[in-house]
Amino acid sequence: MDGAGRTHRLRALAPPGAVWVTPDRPAVPDTAPAVVVDDPHRLDDATLRALSDVARRAVPVLLGRRPTLDRAALAELDELAARDGVVQLEPLDAAAIAALTGRADLHVASAGRPAIAALLAGGGLLPRVQRRLAAEPGVADIARTLALGLDLTDDVLAAATGQPPDALAGALRTLRDLGFLVPGAERLVPAVATALLDDLAPAERRRVHARVATALAGSGADPVAAATQLRAARIRAGADVFRAAGDCLRFTDPAAAIGWYADAVDAGADPAQVAAGHAEAAALVGLPVDPAPGDPHRLALVAGAVAAHDGRPARAADVLVAAAPPGPLLAVPSLVALGRAAEARALATGEPAPFRLLAAAVLAAGDEPAAAVPLLIEAAEAAERTPAAVVPPDTPHAWGAVVAVTAGDAATAEHLLGRALDRGVGGPVGAQRHRLLLAWVRLRAGRYDTAVAELRRLGTGLPGREVLLAAALRAGLARRSGDIAKLREAWSSVEPVLARQAVDLFQAEQVEELAVAATRLRRPQRIAPVLAALDSAVAGLGHPPAWTVTVAWIRLQLGVAADDATAVKAAAAAMAGRGQGRQRAQAAAAATWARSVGGTVDLDDVVAAVDGLAEAELPWEASRLAGHAAIRTADPGAARRLLEVARELSGVEQERAGEGNAAGLSEREVEVARLVLDGRTHKEIGAQLYISPKTVEHHVARIRVKVGATDRAEFVAALKSLLNS
């Protein structure tokens, strides 16, 4: 039986009086008008040669044979019979199968084989398959393995069936001749595969599964592809294959890896063998990491990373310092953030390279953040090229963004965070952190839409570090809206975060938002221990200028919020002459603020300080300084000018006009843009709009970011398109 319907076709073609020669009736006639030969592969060579002699006497011979010509005598007879033409029997289409069997649902299962369809309709397929394979045990083993429907290479198929690789071709040819293979393919006819699998006893099925799993595990094939095949075939015997798939994906697709580890345990793997990999994947997804026996080195690294994610930098640092390499190197950023400078410097060597670069950059950030930014960019790029096989306490991209903001470089911060999100750095936990940090960067730069959108999409179960960041975002938005009711609402998420008293220097600007909220709501006792921790960290680092200014700036903002002139003056004195770039602008603004609370308001001095803050990408603080000075000056003209500056920098118009045009420009930004298109200089625009050239420069920079222009030509083209549409 090969299911092709040869016998049926021979009966249709045979002329009247033709003599049939079959294995059951092998006698060759001396004379006949025609001879019909069915199943010639089952005839002996002598009979085949006698039939060839008949054909040479010009007697028509109709030969119905299988595809394979495996003997010279059969090949000779085939060549003689082919003189009268060759008919290639193709599978029947669905309509023909339905006409043959009376059932329209058997075409796919039978692959168009008429005999198989007929046997399916009559219920006799399995006995016929069993009889055909009984005499060929090696072929039967291959057929049972093929019945699983896996895409196995020849080497794997041979190993799984215990056959030498060079025997596969003959076995597959036999299966094709039996009609068990789909025409033109090396897979079983679906109905035959189902019959073979149904005939397997449970123990025998398990043995087949185990052989296939063992062959795949030892083949060197891609573990994920191999595991996917086993899962599709519902083979539960491949513990090693499933574990290898989890190991392969634990850093690139941790959610999938967790599933493979579960399959490995279900298939009999020792839970201790998968514990470390499962913990690594769970940490990257943000799932709880259960303590379990396993590789203590890898589990210690995971524990340190999880502590960092949970917002417990001291615990993270201690765990990582005690771990084997690269644990101590991974601890360096947390040690710096906590003010443990000597330990950090001693451990800032080794591999992997991205974290060595990160350690060097974080150590340098306190003296000059702008100088540390290039190192952080290099660390981020190195992490993208060669991802480390560890769960990071934090990513170079996140550290880079925080330091870039401290340097007054929001564009670089956004660039790093965008790269991290595009490339999936740090897994799902990293993506969540990078999105929140991106919202934070834009909040600090005066662009609030992203912060609002990110808070709306937040789910539950944030790790502790992101709870603090989200609380700072809520407090910052409430502070900038001037809505005390919203600030009270935000406080519900702020107070539990402050109660933990687990903060570090790299969270200092987030703490600023929380501290101001505490002061505005008359809860100063909540912020005092947190500020004391930051003071201790700054002292531990030797009072580097950047961190000194950052923490003193918090105290300045608290003094302003509480209208405490003494606190403002003390904070300004702590900042005097410290730092470069943004820190220098903050120090200058602090001095101006101190003079303002004392009743001395010099218009030029205030405008210069405001422009410095705006240029350092602190527009909200610049607006607050201008407004603070405006209400303290006795000069009505100066007051009007400062209130105008405060309004320009507050971002209120920007939020109100966010949907007014494609780029979200405020009314004043549209005015500035039109004058830029007219070819006016910053000084000319400032004179016409009664604002300083520095404020104009700030507007232009914000417009450029909004329209996505990278050079002047793109900028002008974008403005023409936007304003003339």
Side-chain angles (χ1 to χ4, degrees):
M1 178 201 85
D2 68 1
R6 287 193 310 274
T7 302
H8 176 78
R9 188 61 181 273
L10 285 172
R11 290 194 183 104
L13 294 174
V19 177
W20 284 70
V21 178
T22 68
D24 297 330
R25 293 179 295 175
V28 179
D30 292 331
T31 60
V35 177
V36 179
V37 185
D38 196 10
D39 284 346
H41 64 282
R42 297 170 59 194
L43 299 173
D44 59 32
D45 285 356
T47 302
L48 294 174
R49 284 193 289 270
L51 288 168
S52 295
D53 290 341
V54 171
R56 290 190 187 94
R57 296 198 294 269
V59 175
V61 175
L62 280 73
L63 183 68
R65 67 168 178 84
R66 291 177 171 181
T68 300
L69 291 169
D70 57 357
R71 287 176 288 161
L74 179 57
E76 181 183 21
L77 176 60
D78 182 74
E79 186 173 2
L80 292 168
R83 293 175 308 188
D84 299 320
V86 176
V87 176
Q88 181 75 35
L89 296 182
E90 300 292 342
L92 300 183
D93 61 19
I97 291 292
L100 174 67
T101 64
R103 290 177 56 180
D105 61 331
L106 297 180
H107 179 254
V108 173
S110 67
R113 298 281 193 182
I116 293 178
L119 288 167
L120 277 173
L125 178 61
L126 178 58
R128 184 72 66 88
V129 171
Q130 290 171 326
R131 285 195 294 273
R132 290 291 186 253
L133 292 177
E136 313 227 30
V139 175
D141 285 341
I142 290 173
R144 293 187 187 98
T145 304
L146 290 176
L148 298 173
L150 303 175
D151 183 19
L152 303 178
T153 65
D154 287 352
D155 288 343
V156 174
L157 180 58
T161 56
Q163 303 294 316
D166 55 7
L168 289 181
L172 291 171
R173 185 165 54 247
T174 298
L175 290 172
R176 182 186 63 179
D177 289 344
L178 289 171
F180 290 174
L181 296 184
V182 173
E186 291 187 354
R187 55 188 176 86
L188 289 182
V189 170
V192 174
T194 300
L196 286 169
L197 292 177
D198 289 346
D199 188 44
L200 288 175
E204 192 174 9
R205 183 187 290 255
R206 287 194 294 271
R207 282 195 296 272
V208 173
H209 288 181
R211 288 198 301 266
V212 171
T214 301
L216 279 170
S219 68
D222 174 64
V224 178
T228 300
Q229 291 209 67
L230 294 181
R231 180 184 278 175
R234 298 183 179 180
I235 295 176
R236 308 305 301 166
D240 289 342
V241 177
F242 294 134
R243 180 171 56 82
D247 288 345
C248 184
L249 293 178
R250 68 192 192 278
F251 294 115
T252 57
D253 190 353
I258 289 171
W260 291 124
Y261 287 130
D263 286 349
V265 173
D266 289 345
D270 182 351
Q273 289 184 313
V274 305
H278 186 277
E280 289 163 342
L284 289 170
V285 171
L287 294 176
V289 177
D290 297 326
D295 184 335
H297 165 55
R298 289 167 62 190
L299 290 172
L301 295 177
V302 173
V306 169
H309 299 170
D310 195 37
R312 302 188 185 279
R315 181 180 301 173
D318 291 340
V319 170
L320 291 171
V321 167
L329 178 60
L330 298 178
V332 170
S334 293
L335 292 171
V336 173
L338 294 166
R340 294 159 63 176
E343 290 177 79
R345 292 191 185 95
L347 299 174
T349 59
E351 299 295 333
F355 291 102
R356 185 181 68 251
L357 292 166
L358 172 61
V362 170
L363 281 165
D367 291 320
E368 180 49 63
V373 169
L375 280 174
L376 288 160
I377 294 173
E378 186 179 356
E381 291 172 346
E384 293 167 17
R385 289 193 303 271
T386 55
V390 294
V391 179
D394 206 349
T395 67
H397 303 71
W399 287 104
V402 171
V403 174
V405 168
T406 305
D409 186 358
T412 294
E414 292 192 38
H415 171 72
L416 285 169
L417 295 169
R419 287 178 67 106
L421 289 168
D422 288 344
R423 292 158 176 79
V425 176
V429 163
Q432 188 175 58
R433 176 155 178 76
H434 296 141
R435 285 198 309 270
L436 280 170
L437 280 173
L438 185 59
W440 169 257
V441 171
R442 290 176 175 167
L443 171 77
R444 296 293 284 182
R447 294 150 58 201
Y448 311 134
D449 53 341
T450 303
V452 172
E454 192 57 46
L455 286 173
R456 285 174 179 165
R457 68 184 288 179
L458 278 181
T460 58
L462 287 175
R465 182 175 59 193
E466 270 53 83
V467 170
L468 186 146
L469 181 50
L473 281 167
R474 292 190 180 95
L477 287 168
R479 176 188 178 193
R480 285 156 178 76
S481 70
D483 189 333
I484 196 67
K486 286 185 178 180
L487 195 61
R488 288 195 183 96
E489 182 181 341
W491 182 254
S492 63
S493 63
V494 172
E495 192 166 26
V497 173
L498 293 179
R500 297 178 72 182
Q501 298 181 21
V503 299
D504 60 51
L505 286 174
F506 285 86
Q507 297 169 314
E509 294 199 10
Q510 299 163 36
V511 169
E512 177 190 328
E513 300 295 347
L514 306 183
V516 171
T519 299
R520 293 285 301 277
L521 296 174
R522 299 180 181 178
R523 306 264 202 315
Q525 71 279 6
R526 286 297 193 190
I527 202 64
V530 175
L531 291 179
L534 295 179
D535 286 338
S536 176
V538 172
L541 296 177
H543 298 282
W547 299 128
T548 299
V549 170
T550 297
V551 176
W553 183 260
I554 298 175
R555 296 188 183 280
L556 178 88
Q557 295 301 311
L558 297 182
V560 171
D563 200 20
D564 183 342
T566 301
V568 170
K569 291 176 180 178
M575 285 185 265
R578 305 300 297 268
Q580 301 293 324
R582 177 172 148 174
Q583 286 69 46
R584 181 63 60 87
Q586 289 175 292
T592 300
W593 235 311
R595 287 190 287 272
S596 175
V597 296
T600 301
V601 177
D602 180 279
L603 179 60
D604 292 337
D605 174 50
V606 174
V607 169
V610 166
D611 286 342
L613 288 177
E615 188 174 358
E617 298 186 339
L618 291 171
W620 168 251
E621 289 78 359
S623 171
R624 292 280 292 158
L625 174 55
H628 186 272
I631 62 175
R632 282 167 172 76
T633 181
D635 183 345
R640 285 194 298 273
R641 172 74 182 280
L642 291 172
L643 288 173
E644 169 69 13
V645 170
R647 186 179 69 86
E648 288 296 327
L649 293 169
S650 67
V652 174
E653 277 192 349
Q654 177 186 337
E655 288 188 284
R656 188 180 301 138
E659 298 179 358
N661 53 71
L665 303 186
S666 68
E667 293 177 11
R668 176 48 58 91
E669 286 169 346
V670 170
E671 289 179 311
V672 171
R674 293 193 184 283
L675 292 172
V676 169
L677 279 181
D678 288 342
R680 306 289 185 87
T681 66
H682 289 179
K683 185 176 181 179
E684 290 170 338
I685 295 171
Q688 181 165 337
L689 298 179
Y690 302 103
I691 57 178
S692 73
K694 279 288 186 182
T695 302
V696 174
E697 183 179 341
H698 174 67
H699 280 309
V700 170
R702 288 174 61 161
I703 296 168
R704 188 186 296 273
V705 170
K706 289 183 178 183
V707 301
T710 58
D711 56 37
R712 179 166 178 77
E714 285 185 9
F715 185 46
V716 172
L719 292 184
K720 287 180 178 177
S721 174
L722 181 68
L723 300 178
N724 296 331
S725 60

